[in-house]
């Protein structure tokens, strides 16, 4: 009987479904480990029995059963599979579905539902995993998925994707009772990345506060609505006969569309005022949260007890969840609890809420409609195809008829030409035969005439011996001449054979001589190559010897001067050569070493080694050039007075000798990681001189550095490339060229490495670029939006603004302050979450100058002041 009832309900489109409830225990946090170390947990889980024991004291406890019991060790994947996946599958089948988290503040509701899993993919919450399954199942051609993300704050429904839309009305259909939000932002989702980005934007706009129970306590209820629309062909109706067997009465397929909705609700945590320490505005927020949760509890109590009246309209939260409890949606509730015995009362209240929710029955119903639009579109497409096919066939028929006519005309013309040619040939043949016959007759006539004349002549003369003897003598003479010619021919043939043999011998001897000559040439080439290689090694060894000699002299001077620890390795502002005589001698020694390398070895010879065929020689040569550039850059950074002039002269020699061009060629043509790393480092050192920066850009250096940044994986190589681009970012004249040739995007691509030194160089480059833009806007030469924001740098800046590494954090804080000084960037920074970081910098930054700069920027910007007043933030 029950089977028949279920089949009948399924045929009518409704299926009963109880609210499924799971309980999840949060592990102890650091505070509880310290404060409750001597006390046992107030709950005991029995997951294999799906049972939970709540201890009243050391000897008495209450037992509760749930659909699922999840321990503190349960993974996010298991939580999703047992709680949300059945609901997601029902949504894909056409039913509405709801997944909701309820519990005391700080018990892990937001972690369970809204975790993005950017740091660890295993931490992804129910929202992210649900969208992954939905996108994997739907067809992009026929189905669609759209998303709304809202928060219920102080009984006001606000749009997290458009904060300006802060009072959205709830519209109810009086006929079927469906709830809709016509003014909410609805975004169509094509891929998982865009959905995660929407969640990230929504989380930045969600209101949270620091309480005694939770450092990031949500002060609003977050509601994610996923609308799924699927099209398919249907037509089978299900009937049952008298024996209970199911029979299918086939009907023609018709286009149908199923519209379903998945609602994921992250409720704000219930809290007791004396425990959370809320006061002022936070106290009003807590009252609003508790009132809405109380209204939800009343509705669930009424539904569990089958009461005639359910107070749905007591709160906007219960109106939004009208379909989730007692409606047509498949609902899963996860209640989160903590282990601490100090919060036994809140834990008991949460467990009892879940127990009451398990008694609520929903009637699941598929919302299925006849897809007139889809059928119309499909028929229009078929009609267009038939029209096009008819036109193609008509055109093909006309072309075929035209082709047959042309072919027939061609054949007629060809037959006529063939007949005319044959007729002409026949006429010519007859004419030739006639002429040949006439000629033959004339020849016969002449021969007959000559024969008659000869006969007459022989008859009239007597017979003599003269003619017969002269003919015999001529015959003998001819035979002798013939024999003589034969002998001469044989002699000539013998001479030809002898000459050919002699010629063959000469060719063999000549070939043997050529081989010997080739061998000698090869030996000479090998000797020349060996000599060149030895000269290269001598030059490299000489330069290394000079460097080692300088380092030894430097160490000796430092030790003779009474120094201890490491020998001098470079100069800084606190180790001026004018304050320490031994360091002054070291500077002079370093200057002498550069001069010695230039004079004794010759910079041109060193640069020539960069094109050597020997890989080791090439690597040594590029290291020598890099060292020369590095020494020059150290003078530029740290020396004073005349030393600056000398170092600029050295860098000028390197550039004029073609060193910069050679380094760029190495960066373009060699794939050896060592060569690329050292060449990039040398270019970075040369780029510290402003005179070289425009030359680097003119030689296509930024494009080469960008390609190297995209190809390289070694952190040291990426650090050198990032340093070079960061130096170029400090030049006001190169801003647009850096943008057009991909310099900014190359910097942002380098962050994939994750190495702190590399990220520090990236942050420095962004800070330099932002400072140039700020200076240009102050001078009135730039009124447009920041190029950094256009190239997508703002999310990374906001994400790393509070980095643990001090250099990264300092540079990014400066970059944010400089970006904020240009009013046109204000809206982008607010939507990207940068305003919160500016507020933090103005309060918590360790450097007074950066704090003051951030404070002045917030005060001077009308857009920032307006947003801070809207968010009720004092500054």
């Amino acid at each position: 009987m029950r089977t028949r009832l279920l089949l009948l309900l399924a045929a009518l489109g409704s299926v009963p479904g109880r609210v499924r409830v799971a309980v999840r225990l949060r592990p102890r946090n650091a505070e509880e480990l310290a404060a409750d170390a001597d006390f046992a947990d107030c709950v005991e889980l029995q997951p294999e029995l799906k049972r939970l024991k709540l201890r009243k004291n050391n000897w008495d406890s209450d037992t509760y059963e749930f659909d699922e019991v999840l321990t503190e060790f349960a993974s996010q994947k298991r939580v999703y599979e047992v709680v949300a996946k059945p609901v997601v599958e029902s949504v894909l089948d056409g039913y509405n579905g709801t997944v909701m988290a309820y519990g005391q503040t700080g018990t892990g509701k937001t972690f369970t539902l809204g975790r993005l899993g950017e740091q660890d993919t295993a931490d992804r919450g129910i929202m992210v995993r649900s969208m992954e399954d939905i996108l994997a199942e739907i067809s992009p051609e026929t189905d669609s998925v759209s998303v709304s993300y809202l928060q219920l704050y102080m009984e006001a429904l606000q749009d997290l994707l458009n904060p300006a839309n802060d009072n959205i009305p709830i519209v109810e259909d009086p006929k079927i009772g469906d709830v809709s939000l016509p003014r909410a932002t609805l975004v169509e989702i094509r891929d998982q990345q865009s959905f995660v980005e929407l969640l990230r934007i929504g989380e930045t706009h969600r209101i949270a506060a620091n309480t005694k129970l939770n450092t990031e306590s949500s002060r609003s209820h977050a509601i994610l609505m996923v609308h799924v629309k699927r099209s398919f062909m249907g037509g089978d109706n299900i009937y049952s006969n008298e024996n209970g067997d199911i029979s299918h009465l086939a009907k023609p397929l018709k286009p149908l569309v199923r519209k379903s909705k998945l609602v994921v609700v992250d409720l704000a945590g219930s809290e007791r005022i004396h425990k959370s320490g809320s006061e002022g505005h936070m106290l009003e927020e807590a009252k609003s949260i508790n009132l809405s949760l109380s209204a939800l509890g009343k509705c669930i109590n009424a539904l569990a007890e089958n009461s005639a009246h359910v107070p749905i309209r007591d709160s906007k939260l219960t109106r939004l969840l009208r379909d989730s409890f007692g409606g047509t949606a498949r609902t899963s509730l996860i209640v989160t609890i903590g282990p601490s015995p100090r919060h036994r009362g809140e834990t008991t209240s949460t467990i009892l809420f879940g127990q009451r929710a398990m008694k609520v029955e929903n009637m699941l119903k598929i919302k299925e409609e006849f897809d007139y639009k889809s059928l119309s579109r499909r028929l229009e497409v078929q009609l267009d195809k038939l029209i096009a096919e008819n036109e193609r066939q008509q055109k093909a028929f006309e072309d075929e008829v035209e082709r047959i006519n042309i072919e027939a005309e061609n054949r007629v013309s060809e037959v006529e030409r063939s007949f005319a040619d044959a007729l002409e040939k026949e006429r010519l043949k007859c004419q030739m035969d006639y002429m040949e016959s006439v000629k033959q007759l004339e020849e016969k006539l002449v021969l007959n005439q000559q024969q008659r004349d000869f006969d007459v002549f022989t008859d009239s003369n007597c017979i003599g011996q003269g003619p017969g003897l002269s003919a015999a003598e001529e015959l003998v003479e001819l035979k002798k001449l013939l024999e003589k010619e034969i002998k001469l021919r044989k002699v000539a043939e013998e001479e030809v054979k002898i000459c050919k043999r002699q010629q063959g011998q000469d060719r063999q001897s000549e070939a043997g001589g050529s081989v010997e000559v080739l061998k000698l040439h090869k030996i000479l080439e090998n000797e020349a190559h060996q000599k060149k290689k030895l000269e290269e090694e001598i030059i490299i060894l000489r330069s290394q010897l000079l460097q080692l000699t300088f380092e030894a002299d430097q160490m000796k001077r430092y030790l003779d001067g009474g120094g201890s620890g490491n020998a001098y390795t470079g100069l800084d502002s606190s180790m001026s050569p004018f304050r320490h005589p031994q360091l002054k001698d070291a500077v002079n020694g370093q200057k002498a070493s550069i001069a010695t390398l230039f004079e004794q070895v010759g910079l041109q010879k060193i640069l020539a080694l960069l094109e050597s065929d020997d890989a080791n020689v090439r690597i040594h040569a590029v290291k020598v050039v890099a060292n020369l550039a590095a020494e020059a850059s150290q003078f530029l950074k740290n020396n004073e007075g005349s030393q600056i002039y000398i170092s600029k002269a050295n860098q000028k020699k390197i550039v004029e000798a073609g060193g910069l061009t050679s380094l760029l060629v190495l960066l373009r043509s060699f794939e050896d990681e060592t060569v690329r790393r050292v060449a990039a480092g040398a270019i970075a050192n040369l780029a510290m001189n402003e005179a070289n920066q425009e030359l680097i850009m003119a030689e296509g250096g930024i494009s080469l550095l960008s390609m190297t940044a995209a190809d390289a994986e070694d952190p040291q190589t990426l650090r050198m490339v990032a340093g070079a681009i960061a130096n170029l970012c400090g030049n006001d004249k190169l801003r647009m060229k850096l943008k057009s040739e991909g310099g900014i995007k190359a910097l942002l691509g380098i962050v994939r490495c994750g190495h702190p030194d590399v990220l520090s160089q990236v942050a420095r480059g962004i800070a330099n670029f932002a400072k140039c833009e700020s200076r240009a806007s102050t001078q009135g030469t730039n009124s447009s939006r920041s190029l950094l924001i256009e190239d997508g740098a703002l999310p990374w800046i906001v994400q790393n603004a509070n980095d643990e590494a001090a250099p990264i954090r300092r540079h990014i804080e400066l970059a944010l302050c400089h970006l904020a000084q240009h009013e046109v960037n204000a809206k982008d920074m607010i939507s990207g979450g940068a305003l919160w970081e500016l507020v933090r910098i103005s309060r918590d930054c360790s450097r007074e100058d950066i704090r003051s700069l951030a404070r002045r920027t917030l005060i001077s910007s009308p857009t920032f002041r307006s947003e801070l007043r809207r968010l009720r933030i004092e500054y």
Side-chain angles (χ1 to χ4, degrees):
M1 185 68 182
R2 177 177 175 81
T3 303
R4 291 185 179 182
L5 179 60
L6 290 175
L7 290 172
L8 180 59
L9 290 172
L12 295 174
S14 299
V15 176
R18 177 178 59 81
V19 174
R20 290 178 52 83
V21 181
V23 61
R24 187 181 192 184
L25 176 65
R26 170 183 59 77
R28 287 195 178 195
N29 54 34
E31 180 184 356
E32 292 170 347
L33 289 172
D36 301 335
D38 298 332
F39 300 93
D41 292 348
C42 66
V43 293
E44 177 186 351
L45 303 184
Q46 296 177 338
E48 64 279 358
L49 301 176
K50 297 183 180 180
R51 185 181 297 168
L52 177 148
K53 287 187 177 182
L54 179 64
R55 294 191 179 94
K56 294 181 178 179
N57 46 48
N58 291 336
W59 57 86
D60 191 12
S61 62
D62 292 331
T63 302
Y64 302 93
E65 292 185 356
F66 289 91
D67 294 304
E68 293 289 342
V69 175
L70 302 168
T71 68
E72 65 271 30
F73 305 109
S75 65
Q76 291 281 75
K77 181 179 181 181
R78 170 166 168 73
V79 173
Y80 170 74
E81 288 179 347
V82 301
V83 175
K85 191 166 185 176
V87 178
V88 173
E89 291 174 348
S90 295
V91 170
L92 291 171
D93 290 338
Y95 298 95
N96 289 340
T98 302
V99 179
M100 187 170 68
Y102 178 90
Q104 181 189 6
T105 183
T107 54
K109 299 182 297 300
T110 303
F111 177 84
T112 301
L113 295 182
R115 191 75 168 184
L116 299 182
E118 294 177 322
Q119 304 296 330
D120 185 358
T121 56
D123 287 344
R124 290 169 298 156
I126 288 176
M127 291 181 180
V128 177
R129 294 177 186 269
S130 299
M131 185 56 68
E132 287 177 355
D133 283 357
I134 291 173
L135 292 177
E137 288 294 327
I138 67 170
S139 172
E141 291 79 11
T142 59
D143 305 337
S144 65
V145 179
S146 53
V147 168
S148 296
Y149 199 14
L150 314 164
Q151 70 173 355
L152 183 60
Y153 175 70
M154 301 284 287
E155 283 300 303
L157 196 58
Q158 301 175 357
D159 196 334
L160 290 176
L161 302 181
N162 182 15
N165 191 8
D166 58 358
N167 192 12
I168 300 173
I170 301 174
V171 178
E172 298 181 13
D173 190 330
K175 294 182 179 179
I176 59 177
D178 282 353
V179 175
S180 60
L181 307 171
R183 281 178 48 190
T185 300
L186 197 63
V187 180
E188 187 171 356
I189 302 298
R190 293 292 183 183
D191 52 57
Q192 184 69 14
Q193 184 62 36
S194 60
F195 175 69
V196 173
E197 187 64 28
L198 284 178
L199 290 183
R200 187 184 296 109
I201 293 172
E203 287 301 319
T204 59
H205 295 144
R206 189 178 179 187
I207 298 174
N210 185 3
T211 67
K212 292 182 180 180
L213 297 178
N214 191 355
T215 57
E216 294 184 2
S217 176
S218 301
R219 314 307 292 170
S220 64
H221 307 299
I223 302 109
L224 175 70
M225 293 186 175
V226 182
H227 300 268
V228 180
K229 181 180 178 181
R230 305 193 70 182
S231 299
F232 66 101
M233 301 300 294
D236 288 346
N237 291 335
I238 301 175
Y239 296 95
S240 177
N241 56 23
E242 295 180 357
N243 298 326
D245 298 329
I246 298 175
S247 63
H248 294 270
L249 184 60
K251 288 187 176 182
L253 296 178
K254 57 183 179 180
L256 300 176
V257 60
R258 286 179 178 174
K259 297 179 181 179
S260 56
K261 178 173 63 177
L262 173 64
V263 181
V264 183
V265 185
D266 180 11
L267 295 174
S270 60
E271 60 183 54
R272 296 188 179 180
I273 306 304
H274 68 278
K275 288 187 177 182
S276 65
S278 299
E279 57 184 14
H281 184 69
M282 289 176 57
L283 179 61
E284 297 300 320
E285 292 175 340
K287 289 180 179 178
S288 176
I289 292 170
N290 290 337
L291 282 174
S292 60
L293 293 177
S294 175
L296 177 62
K298 290 178 181 178
C299 290
I300 290 178
N301 288 340
L303 291 169
E305 295 171 0
N306 292 323
S307 174
H309 173 68
V310 180
I312 293 292
R313 297 188 173 275
D314 287 359
S315 170
K316 286 188 177 181
L317 177 63
T318 54
R319 291 176 64 192
L320 282 172
L321 298 179
R322 178 175 186 175
D323 194 43
S324 303
F325 293 96
T328 62
R330 182 183 295 277
T331 301
S332 284
L333 172 68
I334 180 168
V335 294
T336 57
I337 59 176
S340 175
R342 290 180 297 163
H343 305 302
R344 181 182 286 107
E346 290 83 349
T347 302
T348 303
S349 175
T350 300
I351 292 172
L352 293 177
F353 180 89
Q355 289 287 302
R356 289 191 294 271
M358 289 177 65
K359 299 178 182 178
V360 177
E361 288 278 350
N362 292 348
M363 292 300 297
L364 311 185
K365 185 178 180 180
I366 294 178
K367 188 175 181 181
E368 189 173 86
E369 301 173 355
F370 186 81
D371 193 358
Y372 292 99
K373 293 182 179 179
S374 175
L375 179 60
S376 174
R377 286 196 302 269
R378 192 175 65 186
L379 291 176
E380 287 177 358
V381 170
Q382 290 180 356
L383 179 60
D384 292 339
K385 287 182 179 180
L386 291 173
I387 292 173
E389 183 65 25
N390 183 40
E391 289 180 351
R392 283 194 295 270
Q393 291 180 358
Q394 182 69 23
K395 184 68 168 58
F397 176 75
E398 293 175 356
D399 293 343
E400 183 67 17
V401 170
E402 184 177 359
R403 185 187 65 80
I404 293 172
N405 290 333
I406 293 173
E407 186 176 353
E409 292 176 359
N410 291 336
R411 287 185 177 181
V412 170
S413 300
E414 185 178 354
V415 169
E416 289 177 351
R417 285 196 302 271
S418 299
F419 179 74
D421 292 343
L423 185 61
E424 182 66 21
K425 288 179 181 179
E426 189 67 25
R427 185 183 67 78
L428 292 174
K429 183 179 179 182
C430 292
Q431 186 176 359
M432 292 298 293
D433 291 343
Y434 172 75
M435 293 177 65
E436 186 67 23
S437 300
V438 172
K439 185 177 180 181
Q440 289 177 1
L441 290 173
E442 289 178 350
E443 288 177 353
K444 287 180 179 180
L445 179 61
V446 171
L447 287 174
N448 291 333
Q449 186 66 34
Q450 289 176 354
Q451 186 66 33
R452 283 195 301 271
D453 292 342
F454 180 73
D455 291 341
V456 172
F457 177 75
T458 53
D459 290 341
S460 62
N461 295 306
C462 60
I463 301 174
Q465 298 179 355
L469 291 173
S470 61
E473 289 174 357
E474 289 179 1
L475 183 59
V476 172
E477 188 67 25
L478 288 173
K479 287 182 179 180
K480 290 179 180 180
L481 290 173
L482 182 59
E483 291 175 356
K484 186 177 179 181
E485 290 294 331
I486 292 172
K487 291 178 181 179
L488 290 174
R489 181 181 176 186
K490 289 182 179 179
V491 173
E493 289 179 352
E494 290 295 332
E495 290 179 355
V496 169
K497 289 181 181 179
I498 294 171
C499 290
K500 286 184 178 180
R501 283 198 297 270
Q502 186 66 31
Q503 186 180 6
Q505 293 175 0
D506 292 342
R507 287 181 178 176
Q508 290 178 358
S509 61
E510 184 180 354
S514 299
V515 171
E516 292 179 358
V517 171
L518 290 175
K519 288 183 178 178
L520 289 175
H521 278 300
K522 189 172 184 181
I523 292 171
L524 288 175
E525 289 178 358
N526 290 336
E527 291 293 336
H529 181 72
Q530 192 68 20
K531 181 181 178 182
K532 183 180 178 181
K533 188 173 182 180
L534 290 174
E535 288 178 353
E536 292 173 351
E537 292 180 356
I538 288 170
I539 293 172
I540 292 172
L541 291 173
R542 185 180 295 173
S543 64
Q544 292 178 349
L545 177 60
L546 288 171
Q547 289 183 354
L548 292 174
T549 303
F550 161 68
E551 292 175 1
D553 292 342
Q554 182 181 344
M555 176 67 76
K556 183 177 179 182
R557 290 192 193 97
Y558 188 75
L559 293 176
D560 291 343
S564 62
N566 295 330
Y568 162 75
T569 58
L571 295 176
D572 57 22
S573 60
S574 65
M575 297 287 286
S576 173
F578 299 100
R579 299 178 186 175
H580 300 273
Q582 63 270 32
L583 295 182
K584 183 176 181 180
D585 294 338
V587 172
N588 294 330
Q590 187 170 2
K591 180 177 67 177
S593 70
I594 297 174
T596 304
L597 285 173
F598 285 159
E599 294 172 3
Q600 295 185 8
V601 179
L603 185 58
Q604 289 292 348
K605 290 184 179 180
I606 296 174
L607 295 179
L609 297 181
L610 296 177
E611 301 177 2
S612 174
D613 295 333
D614 192 334
N616 293 326
V617 173
R618 194 164 57 243
I619 291 173
H620 284 301
V622 73
K623 286 183 178 179
V624 171
V625 176
N627 287 335
L628 293 176
E631 289 179 356
S633 68
Q634 288 173 5
F635 283 120
L636 275 172
K637 288 189 293 183
N638 303 312
N639 291 352
E640 302 172 1
S642 60
Q643 279 76 12
I644 293 179
Y645 174 77
I646 294 170
S647 62
K648 287 184 177 179
N650 288 335
Q651 282 208 340
K652 187 176 180 182
K653 288 180 181 180
I654 295 173
V655 175
E656 289 179 351
L660 178 57
T661 304
S662 299
L663 290 170
L664 291 173
V665 170
L666 284 176
L667 202 61
R668 179 187 299 111
S669 58
F670 286 97
E671 297 182 357
D672 184 271
E673 192 66 33
T674 303
V675 174
R676 290 203 302 178
R677 179 175 66 251
V678 181
I683 293 172
N685 289 326
L686 292 176
M688 297 179 69
N689 188 345
E690 187 175 353
N692 298 331
Q693 291 175 354
E694 294 186 16
L695 181 58
I696 292 173
M697 295 294 288
E699 294 283 345
I702 189 63
S703 299
L704 295 175
L705 291 170
S706 300
M707 288 189 292
T708 306
D711 297 338
E713 297 295 337
D714 179 53
Q716 294 303 322
T717 303
L718 292 175
R719 182 172 68 89
M720 298 298 182
V721 174
I725 298 177
N727 291 337
L728 295 174
C729 286
N731 193 323
D732 293 338
K733 302 176 182 178
L734 306 180
R735 285 186 300 111
M736 296 305 297
K737 201 160 188 180
L738 278 167
K739 167 75 167 59
S740 62
E741 296 189 11
I744 300 173
K745 290 187 177 179
L747 268 182
L748 296 176
I750 292 174
V751 302
R752 70 183 186 277
C753 174
H755 195 281
D757 293 341
V758 177
L759 297 182
S760 177
Q761 293 296 330
V762 173
R764 182 171 70 87
I766 290 176
N768 287 344
F769 198 93
K771 186 176 181 181
C772 290
E773 288 192 323
S774 174
R775 192 159 47 236
S777 64
T778 303
Q779 296 171 355
T781 59
N782 179 29
S783 60
S784 59
R785 184 166 167 250
S786 170
L787 300 179
L788 288 172
I789 296 177
E790 287 185 1
D791 274 359
L794 188 58
W796 185 84
I797 294 174
V798 174
Q799 183 179 355
N800 294 271
N802 199 14
D803 196 277
E804 295 180 356
I808 300 174
R809 185 174 64 253
R810 184 179 70 254
H811 288 310
I812 292 182
E813 288 174 346
L814 282 171
L816 278 173
C817 292
H818 288 310
L819 286 174
Q821 288 180 344
H822 198 14
E823 183 67 19
V824 74
N825 299 330
K827 291 184 178 180
D828 290 312
M829 297 185 71
I830 291 172
S831 63
L835 178 59
W836 298 101
E837 294 300 330
L838 282 172
V839 174
R840 179 192 62 77
I841 293 169
S842 68
R843 296 175 178 176
D844 303 333
C845 182
S846 59
R847 288 182 47 172
E848 177 61 30
D849 56 339
I850 300 178
R851 285 203 309 273
S852 301
L853 180 60
R855 202 174 297 117
R856 288 198 307 271
T857 303
L858 290 173
I859 294 173
S860 62
S861 171
T863 305
F864 287 153
R865 291 201 307 271
S866 174
E867 183 67 13
L868 290 173
R869 283 195 299 270
R870 190 184 71 81
L871 297 175
R872 301 181 181 88
I873 297 176
E874 298 180 359
Y875 56 94

